[in-house]
Amino acid sequence: MTRPSRTASLSRATSESSVELALDLDGSGTSAINTSVPFFDHLLTAFAKHSLTDLTVRATGDTHIDAHHTVEDVSIVLGTAIRQALGDKSGISRYGDALVPLDEALAQAVVDISGRPYLVHSGEPAGFEHHLIGGHFTGSLVRHTFEALAFNGGLTVHVRVLDGRDPHHIAEAEYKAFARAFRQAKAFDDAVDGIPSTKGAL
């Protein structure tokens, strides 16, 4: 069976940032990422690698004020590109679930490519949201990126931190768990006939 090409190329420019992004949902996990926020580059590289999504991102922004605007805008564009590349979602597995450790940290993510944006996010330790990871990426941005990805990608996403002490490990475990769950959900399933919903649309 010939599958449709699941690619997207998007750009977004505001007074706060400029983003150019391209992805292939059926890639091998290669990436070329420069958002001008190094730890976010690290997380997106992990997402690409573990979701088997080829991803190119070039972004600049007012990071001299805060990383927030650039990270948010990249996440919006990534979510929008995912939604566009998924097409009508015919033949996909739809659901994915992953439990991923990183040393002492353990995170679980569940993804439903539902067309209904929703995020449930819990378990980060007290104070995580205030921690500067790498001196520039605030812990609160982890949840914020998942919000942007879920709402712009049309995804239902549950992420739970089950254990962890090091903020870097916690954030990376969350992203790797999300990546692995998304990899399962976007995968084609030969047993699926058409769109995997009783509604006939996702």
Side-chain angles (χ1 to χ4, degrees), residues 67-146:
H68 182 105
H69 295 148
T70 301
V71 169
E72 178 179 56
D73 287 347
V74 169
S75 301
I76 288 169
V77 175
L78 178 56
T80 304
I82 286 171
R83 188 169 199 159
Q84 186 178 109
L86 283 167
D88 70 0
K89 309 175 186 72
S90 181
I92 65 168
S93 294
R94 177 176 169 178
Y95 299 102
D97 179 11
L99 191 64
V100 172
L102 179 55
D103 295 347
E104 88 296 344
L106 182 65
Q108 181 183 29
V110 180
V111 172
D112 176 9
I113 301 176
S114 61
R116 296 187 305 279
Y118 205 91
L119 174 68
V120 177
H121 183 266
S122 63
E124 290 177 346
F128 176 87
E129 68 274 18
H130 304 301
H131 192 91
L132 285 177
I133 306 172
H136 59 277
F137 186 94
T138 310
S140 62
L141 288 175
V142 175
R143 176 190 173 92
H144 195 50
T145 59
F146 287 136

Side-chain angles (χ1 to χ4, degrees), residues 48-65:
K49 185 70 171 180
H50 294 284
S51 68
L52 297 183
T53 298
D54 289 348
L55 181 62
T56 301
V57 184
R58 293 286 179 269
T60 57
D62 55 2
T63 53
H64 60 287
I65 296 174

